[in-house]
Amino acid sequence: MLKFALPPKSQENAELVARRLHESTTGNKIHETVTVEWNGRPLHVGVIDMPLGDVYYNPATHRIRAQRDHDPVLARGLEADPWSAESQDYLNKLLIGKPANPNETDPDFEALMESLRSVEQQEPGLMTHEGILVNGNTRAAALRKLGRSSIRVGVLPPSFTWDDINAVELALQLRPDKRRDYSYINRLLAMEEQELLGREAADIVRDFHIQLKTFKQERWILGVIRDMIERSVTPDGAQLALSDFEGHQENLKELYRTYMKVAGSSQEKAERVKENRIAAIILDFAKTRTRYIGEDFQGTYLEDSLPELFESAAPTADEPAGIAIPGLSVAVAPPADPVVRARAVTDQILRAHATESARHLPDAVREAAQHELAAARKGMRRALDSAERDDRLKKVRQTTAERLDDARAAIDQSVNDLVQALGSNSLDEESFDSALLRVRSSLAKLARQASRGVTTHGDGVTWLIKASES
């Protein structure tokens, strides 16, 4: 759990808060209060108007916990001094930005601004006596951007600790009537925090309004994400962040379901599926595509589509070079471990993505990583296309002739595509040549079977056999 020292204006804020709370209970004014849940009981606290210039964004808020590492330099400054102008500006940016990309404004934030512009602030925020916002951080950012001078806040008791602050914030956020939820990764972090505090799973799932099986799923997913981040570290200091996984919620959930299903029969196959799918997720393929990655995807499709990555995933010099054959002075290479190879390929993609996103690295290094990722995406797309096509063919019972007609139609379309590519000088000649070699290989297989099984060789079969021999 994140805990920080008090901000520099804490004493001044505490005196101002005490005065305004006293004023709110004297005279003929209506004393406004707001009710929060604390330790399972309702707590009624007084509401005051607080100058926006005197309140602080909460550096421990769950709202942007996953986004804190978006900028590593500013993140370190946030750890060292969360109350500095630079750190508070960084928190302001994270509160305004999209969870998956803080450099872009979140549409939900814009909607909140529009609401505050037209109907003013309806629900008070919540802060400590020292001016640290517990609830309403995003509202404060919106009010500041609108040029407002104050914010209405309920004030927690002076005795509240950081543990109390975190508990109250979480209880407020998990109320079913809250309009803006935590982002997916921040919700996972909040669950993890509660478990690390020693709370029972039954209590956590009740507070988060989920089932126990969902809690187990979310904890597994966060573990996988942390593992991917650790494996993404490069010698240059690049590393993926939690926010890099924000847009992949449904993909990660389907990964969990598939992993558990496959693991019921083979742990090795489940690990291979996990690695292949993580690679596809990092390369930004949608759930509707990654679901074609099954137990045989790597050996049947991926290794042929990403030969360079799998070649670089071969055993290193520190690993056994081969298995000696007794009585002979030769050795044969040991069978490659598919899981080890899959992990090695995923690691290369993770590190390339981390390098591409690392703004502190030279442009040339980042561009090289971009090219590496582009090649990996092309290979992954080719493998997924093949897997999807085969899946579709399995579902539709066709004759051999019908499938050849489909292939003929695809080739006719390729002719049109080739003409357009040549006209615009955009043909990838290397990829085109490689595709032709794969077509030749497939035609050779077809010719072998036709020569063995077709009793009467018509003009088509005769041509096929001759073409495969040339």
Side-chain angles (χ1 to χ4, degrees), residues 435-460:
L436 288 175
L437 291 175
R438 290 193 294 272
V439 170
R440 184 181 70 176
S441 175
S442 295
L443 287 175
K445 294 177 185 177
L446 184 62
R448 284 195 298 271
Q449 295 303 319
S451 64
R452 295 170 185 169
V454 179
T455 56
T456 303
H457 292 182
D459 291 342

Side-chain angles (χ1 to χ4, degrees), residues 361-379:
L361 295 180
D363 289 343
V365 174
R366 296 175 63 192
E367 287 175 5
Q370 289 172 3
H371 290 311
E372 185 177 349
L373 286 174
R377 286 192 186 99
K378 184 181 294 184

